[in-house]
Amino acid sequence: MSRLVMKFGGTSVADLERIRRVAALVVAEVSAGHGVAVVVSAMAGKTNELVAWTDGAGAAAQGVEFSDDEYDAVVASGEQVTAGLLAMTLRNLGVRARSWLGWQIPIVTDDSHGKSRIEEIPSENLDRALGAGEVAVIAGFQGVTRAGRVATLGRGGSDTTAVAIAAAIKADRCDIYTDVDGVYTTDPRIEARARRLAQISYEEMLEMASLGAKVLHTRSVEMAMAHGVPVRVLSSFVEPGQTDGRGTMVCDEEEIVEKRIVSGVAYSRDEAKISLFGLPDHPGVSSEIFGRLADANVNVDMIVQSHAHSEGAANMEFTVGKRDAQRAVEIVRGAKDSIGFDEVAVNEDVAKVSVIGVGMRSHAGVAKTMFGALAEKGVNIQVISTSEIKISVLIDAAYTELAVRALHAAYGLDRL
């Protein structure tokens, strides 16, 4: 019997009516002869509510002091509710089913509460359940430490749970059901002519996820690529039994017969540019700056350095997430005496726009097309970064939508 993992996000299980719809989708796959494991998120909005109880201003006002292990015990409960409700609904439809929590499988994690990483998933318990024809309904987002404490995987953790379960039980595919019907060439809310992609490589999806596309969480794509798990993204509002040919398949590059030069345009408004002026131009300066930022867990993205007008001096610009911007400035200012730069400035009114495609490896002129399209629209480029399959530029945030539409047209993505 082939095995299938089905994952449903918060909007897909937002209320009892939608849970019944999810159950119908599961029943259709069981009827088709699959051994099915289902991973569920908490109902839409429930995790935010639970987080506020433990880590928000309201909690502080009530005298609740934050504790990371007990935080996990609280916020993991949302998925427990959904898993139980879906298992009951399936039983009412005549399907053998039971719920599984992270510690029952077990999904073994490290002890970094709130952002734990999966270390292993022994598959014996699930293998027995699936072998007996039972649907395993699994609470996503959670696992258990080796000390026996509940641990959560961080935002997007249910996607990661689903892919990890698929790898553990050697599933033929992992279907991620969400509120969109696949991966698009860009955000359809910005470009109405965006097209759904039938296939996309792991590497392209990883770049798109890290560059602002919200369809899949980065960690889930990393895990799928590492274990060779085919992942399909499709809408939870598709009719039961009508999923063939729907959605977008995320797979190995070699399975894509005709590789596109550019597969998509992504953007992120969650960017802040830090500028350092008059840095001493000698070895060790960059190490000092970025070492301090790394020690404070500030993630740095785009970096560019150039010579200043003064001899022996340089200017440097780099980007961080907006919520880290002020902290990054404080950290850099704290190093001013030891480094000796002139001044630091921050600009949060910027956005990052990127083009992604595995075809870049074998085609010249991708950058020329990008820069030409932006110049034609009068969009000034502040910072550039590249990888083998991606080019990103930092621009004024006011030009984000204009830039996305211009690049989407320049690479012919509206004609796919």
Side-chain angles (χ1 to χ4, degrees):
M1 180 185 294
S2 62
R3 289 182 172 180
L4 176 67
V5 173
M6 306 171 72
K7 183 266 174 178
F8 296 92
T11 55
S12 301
V13 293
D15 52 38
L16 291 176
E17 181 180 349
R18 291 193 179 183
I19 288 175
R20 285 191 289 269
R21 182 176 182 81
V22 165
L25 291 168
V26 174
V27 169
E29 297 296 351
V30 172
S31 300
H34 298 298
V36 178
V38 185
V39 174
V40 291
S41 298
M43 292 178 172
K46 179 55 67 175
T47 299
N48 289 338
E49 179 184 354
L50 295 170
V51 168
W53 286 355
T54 59
D55 192 27
Q62 296 297 320
V64 177
E65 294 185 11
F66 180 77
S67 175
D68 59 0
D69 56 340
E70 299 302 345
Y71 165 92
D72 277 354
V74 173
V75 300
S77 65
E79 284 72 17
Q80 178 174 332
V81 171
T82 313
L85 288 171
L86 179 56
M88 283 193 287
T89 305
L90 288 168
R91 289 181 182 181
N92 291 338
L93 294 173
V95 175
R96 292 183 60 192
R98 66 153 283 189
S99 61
W100 293 82
L101 306 186
W103 62 269
Q104 294 173 311
I105 293 174
I107 299 172
V108 182
T109 73
D110 63 22
D111 58 1
S112 301
H113 287 284
K115 53 181 184 300
S116 297
R117 300 189 73 86
I118 297 172
E119 293 186 344
E120 65 172 325
I121 303 180
S123 64
E124 291 84 356
N125 290 337
L126 289 180
D127 285 337
R128 279 194 294 271
L130 294 172
E134 185 177 85
V135 173
V137 184
I138 300 163
F141 177 62
Q142 63 179 255
V144 60
T145 69
R146 296 190 186 278
R149 296 291 290 165
V150 172
T152 62
L153 308 180
R155 291 297 189 178
S158 292
D159 284 355
T160 305
T161 301
V163 174
I165 292 292
I169 66 173
K170 297 179 173 57
D172 296 77
R173 191 178 70 241
C174 178
D175 283 350
I176 306 288
Y177 287 81
T178 181
D179 52 1
V180 296
D181 63 348
V183 180
Y184 276 71
T185 49
T186 196
D187 188 342
R189 294 172 299 180
I190 286 182
E191 175 51 83
R193 292 176 293 181
R195 297 289 183 265
R196 180 177 61 83
L197 298 167
Q199 292 178 302
I200 188 170
S201 72
Y202 293 123
E203 290 178 274
E204 289 172 319
M205 190 68 247
L206 188 58
E207 291 282 12
M208 290 182 75
S210 66
L211 292 168
K214 307 295 187 189
V215 180
L216 287 177
H217 194 271
T218 306
R219 281 170 61 186
S220 68
V221 183
E222 289 174 344
M223 186 168 290
M225 184 164 61
H227 294 279
V229 176
V231 174
R232 183 172 59 158
V233 180
L234 69 167
S235 171
S236 58
F237 301 104
V238 68
E239 290 301 315
Q242 303 296 317
T243 61
D244 288 349
R246 303 296 181 93
T248 299
M249 187 69 71
V250 186
C251 57
D252 191 272
E253 180 184 340
E254 299 305 317
E255 297 179 38
I256 301 175
V257 177
E258 188 171 346
K259 299 174 181 59
R260 297 170 294 273
I261 300 175
V262 168
S263 293
V265 181
Y267 69 94
S268 170
R269 292 190 173 98
D270 182 29
E271 307 291 329
K273 181 178 70 171
I274 311 295
S275 302
L276 291 169
F277 303 101
L279 281 167
D281 191 12
H282 59 67
V285 173
S286 296
S287 176
E288 174 77 8
I289 293 168
F290 296 116
R292 292 189 181 217
L293 292 169
D295 290 343
N297 290 318
V298 174
N299 186 45
V300 176
D301 184 16
M302 310 170 83
I303 304 171
V304 63
Q305 181 170 322
S306 59
H307 288 292
H309 292 302
S310 304
E311 186 176 349
N315 297 328
M316 178 184 290
E317 293 180 319
F318 60 88
T319 62
V320 298
K322 278 187 178 177
R323 64 181 174 183
D324 287 331
Q326 294 306 317
R327 189 155 58 103
V329 170
E330 291 171 8
I331 291 166
V332 170
R333 281 178 178 153
K336 184 173 182 178
D337 290 341
S338 60
I339 296 174
F341 58 85
D342 292 338
E343 61 177 306
V344 58
V346 60
N347 179 6
E348 297 187 16
D349 194 24
V350 293
K352 178 171 60 178
V353 179
S354 311
V355 295
I356 304 104
V358 291
M360 290 187 189
R361 293 192 181 112
S362 55
H363 289 81
V366 178
K368 176 184 176 182
T369 299
M370 182 178 198
F371 301 150
L374 294 177
E376 185 178 331
K377 297 297 183 181
V379 179
N380 186 49
I381 297 171
Q382 301 179 27
V383 182
I384 302 168
S385 70
T386 65
S387 74
E388 194 176 20
I389 65 166
K390 173 259 304 180
I391 304 173
S392 294
V393 296
L394 195 72
I395 63 173
D396 189 302
Y399 293 96
T400 306
E401 297 188 8
L402 176 63
V404 167
R405 288 192 290 266
L407 293 173
H408 195 268
Y411 292 105
L413 296 176
D414 52 351
R415 299 191 298 272
L416 290 179

